[in-house]
Amino acid sequence: MLSLRDQACLVGVGETRYCRAPGSGVSELELMLDAARAAIADAGLRPGDVDGIMAPIWGGSAEDFAANLGIENLRYAAQVNMGGASAVVSLQSAAMAVAFGAARAVLVPFGWNGYSGRRVRGADLAELAQEMARFESSVGSAIRDYYVPYGLASPAQWYTLFARRHIHEFGTPPEALGAIAVACRKHAQGNARAVMRGRPMTMEDYLASPWICEPYRLLDCCLETDGAAAVVVTAADRARTLAQRPVFIAGVAEGHPYPADDFVNRPDLLTIGLTFAAPVAYEMAGLGPEDADFAQIYDCFTFEVLHQLEEAGFCRRGEGAAFVQDGAIELGGRLPINTHGGLLSQAHVGGMNHVVEAVRQLRGQAGAAQVAGARVGIVTGWGDFGDGGLAVLRSDG
Amino acid sequence: MSDAFARPLPRLAGYAAEFYAFCRRRELRFQRCSGCGRWRHVPRTLCAGCGSDAWEWARSAGTGRIHTWSVTHRPMHPAFLEVPYAVVVVELDEGPRVVTWVRDVAPAALAVGMPVAVDFEDVTDAVTLPVFRPRR
């Protein structure tokens, strides 16, 4: 069987400014076009050089991008619809497309007006119906018929059901979740784009923050921000001719928990898409979690970072609390995570900002957050009811 | 008071209509595969275990235990503004798990494994939801 290992590279990355108030003032498509142009230029390419698009889960179709960027011969257009896992899992499709020549350069954008756009809490009836329809199109109708009638409507409420099981089975203390929040906030202090730069957090601050949905406190929850990020993927041999040090997609895989649309009837609530995807990505890469110099873990909520560290094999199930404490996941520690501040403290860009930060680390362009000698990094994606993806990225230094 | 945020209801079509029609009659029923006897929820067309498309609505004894829960402190949906409220996952003795409310127990007193039994609440004149109460 052919291997995808090292066949494709991330060659360009781009980001908009990330903000909360007063909002971006522009549409998600405009944000993504901004990020896309930056990523294309970063690669040393022109917009017309792009001939493949992984359409984002919302905000713009492949045709929107093609028309605005002047892509007259779009040869590969596809979409991954896995919520926040889409950014990482899209790399799988992009890599396959360029490896086999279906496209020469694939653009993968993501953008969200999470701050200024509609949000369930503040929505009016029409906006609410639209938001629920958006959930349903991604997770199915079980949520409408069997969850929402009981007021179980939002990710914070869904995932706390997993967190409570973990606490029950392993005694996971709040300080473990706090260690994750504190680490991401610490990393944000050194990141110029981070929305929470200038707002440091201590463990005392974390423990004092109010409940959102027990066991999540306010400081367990990701930001809602406006912004976009994008990356460009080409085949490896082309990457070597372009502007930046190539970052190889050594391994990438997609995983879905079972059943995907009704998580309460899973035999084990802690088995997630990542549980299946991680070993596949490691096998493809010939690299494992022990080889990672850093990990950008999809941090919609702190518990989900701990959960993913376990399911991706950085530690055993139930050992996550011990793994994240005593500075182990901070810069300078055994496994720095979310070196940009993550969704928790940089911005919520559907995890595309995690891909961008991983590329920067592997190029040696991470500035004050640079993990010295970084050669291998892992990025995870998480979406919907625990769909997941994992990419192993590496560079030659 | 505006009814613009009337509580969200199940869509009474297909299998959900059948499930909730039984709830209206105060019966908690789940699909049970006629091929292998496995109970399942949410309703499906096929048995994922044996592949059979034959099934019946089998009546649950209505007893089970708490599997997990969450307590919402900040409203997440405009129809559910009275906080805090707990949403609970109950595992029925027959195997299926449901999202539900457990009445007569303060959120702080919930515990994994707590034994409960089903009851029914009419939330509109068309929709009845199964809820649970502690049992000894």
Side-chain angles (χ1 to χ4, degrees):
Chain A
M1 191 181 71
L2 302 172
S3 170
L4 196 55
R5 180 191 302 178
D6 292 347
Q7 295 298 310
C9 291
L10 287 148
V11 298
V13 300
E15 300 176 280
T16 64
R17 164 183 95 89
Y18 299 138
C19 69
R20 292 198 297 190
S24 69
V26 296
S27 70
E28 287 162 345
L29 177 61
E30 288 177 81
L31 289 170
M32 287 190 281
L33 287 169
D34 232 8
R37 288 187 301 165
I40 293 164
D42 180 59
L45 292 169
R46 294 203 181 89
D49 295 324
V50 172
D51 57 358
I53 297 172
M54 291 303 300
I57 56 174
W58 59 51
S61 65
E63 289 78 4
D64 289 324
F65 286 92
N68 279 284
L69 294 172
I71 297 167
E72 296 183 8
N73 182 13
L74 179 64
R75 304 199 289 141
Y76 181 81
Q79 185 191 46
V80 171
N81 193 20
M82 293 171 72
S86 304
V88 169
V89 174
S90 288
L91 298 180
Q92 177 180 230
S93 289
M96 289 192 288
V98 300
F100 286 100
R104 283 172 46 78
V106 179
L107 173 70
V108 189
F110 182 94
W112 189 25
N113 277 325
Y115 175 81
S116 60
R118 42 175 199 283
R119 283 174 288 166
V120 173
R121 285 199 299 287
D124 66 24
L125 189 62
E127 291 171 334
L128 189 62
Q130 218 170 345
E131 193 62 27
M132 286 295 123
R134 180 187 270 191
F135 277 147
E136 266 182 67
S137 74
S138 209
V139 302
S141 59
I143 180 177
R144 174 196 63 208
D145 296 332
Y146 303 103
Y147 293 14
V148 179
Y150 292 92
L152 188 75
S154 78
Q157 297 170 305
W158 309 336
Y159 306 152
T160 41
L161 298 176
F162 300 160
R164 175 61 56 191
R165 280 301 299 184
H166 199 277
I167 292 167
H168 167 70
E169 290 183 37
F170 304 111
T172 304
E175 288 79 5
L177 307 191
I180 294 161
V182 165
C184 290
R185 183 63 62 92
K186 188 172 183 180
H187 297 162
Q189 302 316 305
N191 186 278
R193 268 195 179 77
V195 166
M196 298 313 267
R197 179 167 151 128
R199 296 176 62 170
M201 180 206 299
T202 64
M203 180 64 76
E204 289 67 38
D205 294 330
Y206 166 80
L207 292 170
S209 69
W211 292 122
I212 297 299
C213 184
E214 251 181 287
Y216 291 161
R217 295 170 166 80
L218 177 64
L219 294 176
D220 287 305
C221 303
C222 55
L223 299 169
E224 286 173 317
T225 53
D226 291 357
V231 299
V232 177
V233 175
T234 70
D237 52 6
R238 187 167 194 214
R240 294 184 180 96
T241 71
L242 295 177
Q244 304 282 355
R245 176 192 300 173
V247 172
F248 294 87
I249 298 171
V252 61
E254 165 180 341
H256 298 259
Y258 180 79
D261 64 345
D262 172 35
F263 62 86
V264 309
N265 277 286
R266 294 174 188 162
D268 166 38
L269 261 59
L270 298 177
T271 294
I272 51 179
L274 188 64
T275 314
F276 302 114
V280 174
Y282 298 148
E283 166 89 10
M284 183 188 292
L287 295 163
E290 66 283 357
D291 298 306
D293 297 309
F294 62 84
Q296 316 297 2
I297 307 287
Y298 196 94
D299 49 337
C300 42
F301 301 93
T302 54
F303 168 72
E304 290 315 332
V305 174
L306 189 154
H307 188 185
Q308 289 173 82
L309 287 169
E310 292 180 350
E311 298 306 300
F314 289 94
C315 61
R316 280 200 291 264
R317 174 86 69 89
E319 294 180 353
F323 187 88
V324 301
Q325 300 199 71
D326 303 317
I329 55 170
E330 296 180 9
L331 284 163
R334 181 180 61 230
L335 178 78
I337 68 159
N338 300 7
T339 55
H340 50 327
L343 306 183
L344 286 167
S345 286
Q346 187 200 41
H348 194 315
V349 203
M352 190 65 77
N353 49 329
H354 291 37
V355 178
V356 171
E357 178 72 1
V359 169
R360 293 214 169 101
Q361 286 284 357
L362 293 168
R363 287 176 179 177
Q365 294 175 348
Q370 184 66 50
V371 174
R375 292 287 173 270
V376 177
I378 285 171
V379 187
T380 73
W382 165 288
D384 297 336
F385 288 161
D387 288 350
L390 187 143
V392 181
L393 305 178
R394 67 165 198 84
S395 65
D396 289 328
Chain B
M1 179 174 68
S2 161
D3 68 355
F5 296 118
R7 60 166 67 241
L9 298 171
R11 184 160 164 268
L12 297 182
Y15 297 134
E18 295 177 52
F19 176 84
Y20 284 108
F22 286 115
C23 292
R24 197 88 190 139
R25 289 162 41 185
R26 270 127 177 93
E27 293 178 10
L28 182 65
R29 287 183 180 257
F30 298 105
Q31 290 179 328
R32 185 172 58 197
C33 176
S34 304
C36 67
R38 187 180 306 196
W39 296 67
R40 62 180 183 250
H41 194 59
V42 297
R44 306 285 183 193
T45 297
L46 301 176
C47 177
C50 74
S52 174
D53 63 356
W55 55 273
E56 57 169 344
W57 284 108
R59 188 166 185 180
S60 165
T63 53
R65 292 181 179 274
I66 289 180
H67 189 69
T68 186
W69 71 91
S70 69
V71 185
T72 300
H73 287 257
R74 186 174 291 195
M76 293 282 160
H77 188 291
F80 294 94
L81 299 178
E82 285 190 38
V83 290
Y85 67 91
V87 180
V88 183
V89 177
V90 167
E91 180 172 304
L92 280 302
D93 293 337
E94 296 91 358
R97 298 198 194 114
V98 293
V99 171
T100 189
W101 294 313
V102 173
R103 299 308 197 196
D104 307 333
V105 180
L110 293 168
V112 173
M114 178 184 287
V116 293
V118 74
D119 196 354
F120 296 89
E121 285 182 12
D122 299 330
V123 297
T124 69
D125 43 16
V127 175
T128 299
L129 296 181
V131 301
F132 288 76
R133 298 198 135 76
R135 65 182 162 93
R136 274 183 294 104

PDB file of all heavy atoms in Angstrom, chain A residues 188-199:
ATOM      1  N   ALA A 188      -0.017  32.814  26.283  1.00  0.00           N
ATOM      2  CA  ALA A 188      -0.610  33.952  25.591  1.00  0.00           C
ATOM      3  C   ALA A 188       0.115  35.254  25.906  1.00  0.00           C
ATOM      4  O   ALA A 188       0.111  36.185  25.092  1.00  0.00           O
ATOM      5  CB  ALA A 188      -2.090  34.074  25.967  1.00  0.00           C
ATOM      6  N   GLN A 189       0.740  35.321  27.064  1.00  0.00           N
ATOM      7  CA  GLN A 189       1.404  36.584  27.447  1.00  0.00           C
ATOM      8  C   GLN A 189       2.522  36.916  26.482  1.00  0.00           C
ATOM      9  O   GLN A 189       2.851  38.079  26.287  1.00  0.00           O
ATOM     10  CB  GLN A 189       1.943  36.503  28.886  1.00  0.00           C
ATOM     11  CG  GLN A 189       0.881  36.203  29.940  1.00  0.00           C
ATOM     12  CD  GLN A 189      -0.384  37.015  29.732  1.00  0.00           C
ATOM     13  OE1 GLN A 189      -0.356  38.243  29.668  1.00  0.00           O
ATOM     14  NE2 GLN A 189      -1.511  36.326  29.576  1.00  0.00           N
ATOM     15  N   GLY A 190       3.095  35.885  25.859  1.00  0.00           N
ATOM     16  CA  GLY A 190       4.204  36.116  24.937  1.00  0.00           C
ATOM     17  C   GLY A 190       3.790  36.120  23.473  1.00  0.00           C
ATOM     18  O   GLY A 190       4.640  36.171  22.592  1.00  0.00           O
ATOM     19  N   ASN A 191       2.476  36.055  23.212  1.00  0.00           N
ATOM     20  CA  ASN A 191       2.014  35.957  21.829  1.00  0.00           C
ATOM     21  C   ASN A 191       1.350  37.262  21.407  1.00  0.00           C
ATOM     22  O   ASN A 191       0.347  37.667  21.999  1.00  0.00           O
ATOM     23  CB  ASN A 191       1.037  34.779  21.699  1.00  0.00           C
ATOM     24  CG  ASN A 191       0.643  34.536  20.264  1.00  0.00           C
ATOM     25  OD1 ASN A 191      -0.242  35.195  19.740  1.00  0.00           O
ATOM     26  ND2 ASN A 191       1.301  33.590  19.628  1.00  0.00           N
ATOM     27  N   ALA A 192       1.868  37.894  20.371  1.00  0.00           N
ATOM     28  CA  ALA A 192       1.388  39.221  19.980  1.00  0.00           C
ATOM     29  C   ALA A 192      -0.068  39.217  19.547  1.00  0.00           C
ATOM     30  O   ALA A 192      -0.768  40.210  19.699  1.00  0.00           O
ATOM     31  CB  ALA A 192       2.259  39.769  18.854  1.00  0.00           C
ATOM     32  N   ARG A 193      -0.537  38.087  19.014  1.00  0.00           N
ATOM     33  CA  ARG A 193      -1.928  38.033  18.534  1.00  0.00           C
ATOM     34  C   ARG A 193      -2.931  37.630  19.611  1.00  0.00           C
ATOM     35  O   ARG A 193      -4.131  37.665  19.364  1.00  0.00           O
ATOM     36  CB  ARG A 193      -2.050  37.001  17.398  1.00  0.00           C
ATOM     37  CG  ARG A 193      -1.856  37.582  16.051  1.00  0.00           C
ATOM     38  CD  ARG A 193      -2.344  36.611  14.976  1.00  0.00           C
ATOM     39  NE  ARG A 193      -2.149  37.226  13.690  1.00  0.00           N
ATOM     40  CZ  ARG A 193      -0.987  37.316  13.065  1.00  0.00           C
ATOM     41  NH1 ARG A 193       0.092  36.788  13.615  1.00  0.00           N
ATOM     42  NH2 ARG A 193      -0.877  37.937  11.920  1.00  0.00           N
ATOM     43  N   ALA A 194      -2.406  37.216  20.772  1.00  0.00           N
ATOM     44  CA  ALA A 194      -3.315  36.616  21.755  1.00  0.00           C
ATOM     45  C   ALA A 194      -4.248  37.651  22.371  1.00  0.00           C
ATOM     46  O   ALA A 194      -3.807  38.676  22.895  1.00  0.00           O
ATOM     47  CB  ALA A 194      -2.518  35.910  22.840  1.00  0.00           C
ATOM     48  N   VAL A 195      -5.544  37.339  22.342  1.00  0.00           N
ATOM     49  CA  VAL A 195      -6.546  38.226  22.916  1.00  0.00           C
ATOM     50  C   VAL A 195      -6.335  38.411  24.414  1.00  0.00           C
ATOM     51  O   VAL A 195      -6.627  39.475  24.967  1.00  0.00           O
ATOM     52  CB  VAL A 195      -7.952  37.658  22.604  1.00  0.00           C
ATOM     53  CG1 VAL A 195      -9.043  38.319  23.426  1.00  0.00           C
ATOM     54  CG2 VAL A 195      -8.245  37.789  21.119  1.00  0.00           C
ATOM     55  N   MET A 196      -5.808  37.403  25.087  1.00  0.00           N
ATOM     56  CA  MET A 196      -5.614  37.490  26.527  1.00  0.00           C
ATOM     57  C   MET A 196      -4.192  37.902  26.917  1.00  0.00           C
ATOM     58  O   MET A 196      -3.797  37.779  28.074  1.00  0.00           O
ATOM     59  CB  MET A 196      -5.986  36.168  27.190  1.00  0.00           C
ATOM     60  CG  MET A 196      -7.442  35.772  26.999  1.00  0.00           C
ATOM     61  SD  MET A 196      -8.620  37.111  27.312  1.00  0.00           S
ATOM     62  CE  MET A 196      -9.019  36.836  29.017  1.00  0.00           C
ATOM     63  N   ARG A 197      -3.437  38.414  25.980  1.00  0.00           N
ATOM     64  CA  ARG A 197      -2.135  38.981  26.327  1.00  0.00           C
ATOM     65  C   ARG A 197      -2.358  40.187  27.222  1.00  0.00           C
ATOM     66  O   ARG A 197      -3.247  40.996  26.962  1.00  0.00           O
ATOM     67  CB  ARG A 197      -1.409  39.378  25.054  1.00  0.00           C
ATOM     68  CG  ARG A 197      -0.049  40.012  25.290  1.00  0.00           C
ATOM     69  CD  ARG A 197       0.677  40.056  23.988  1.00  0.00           C
ATOM     70  NE  ARG A 197       1.617  41.149  23.893  1.00  0.00           N
ATOM     71  CZ  ARG A 197       2.892  41.000  23.556  1.00  0.00           C
ATOM     72  NH1 ARG A 197       3.374  39.800  23.317  1.00  0.00           N
ATOM     73  NH2 ARG A 197       3.678  42.039  23.465  1.00  0.00           N
ATOM     74  N   GLY A 198      -1.578  40.289  28.254  1.00  0.00           N
ATOM     75  CA  GLY A 198      -1.747  41.386  29.201  1.00  0.00           C
ATOM     76  C   GLY A 198      -2.724  41.061  30.316  1.00  0.00           C
ATOM     77  O   GLY A 198      -2.985  41.893  31.183  1.00  0.00           O
ATOM     78  N   ARG A 199      -3.266  39.842  30.295  1.00  0.00           N
ATOM     79  CA  ARG A 199      -4.214  39.440  31.346  1.00  0.00           C
ATOM     80  C   ARG A 199      -3.767  38.109  31.937  1.00  0.00           C
ATOM     81  O   ARG A 199      -4.350  37.069  31.633  1.00  0.00           O
ATOM     82  CB  ARG A 199      -5.623  39.358  30.757  1.00  0.00           C
ATOM     83  CG  ARG A 199      -6.098  40.729  30.281  1.00  0.00           C
ATOM     84  CD  ARG A 199      -7.430  40.700  29.614  1.00  0.00           C
ATOM     85  NE  ARG A 199      -8.487  40.238  30.497  1.00  0.00           N
ATOM     86  CZ  ARG A 199      -9.783  40.307  30.191  1.00  0.00           C
ATOM     87  NH1 ARG A 199     -10.154  40.835  29.042  1.00  0.00           N
ATOM     88  NH2 ARG A 199     -10.685  39.844  31.018  1.00  0.00           N
TER      89      ARG A 199
END
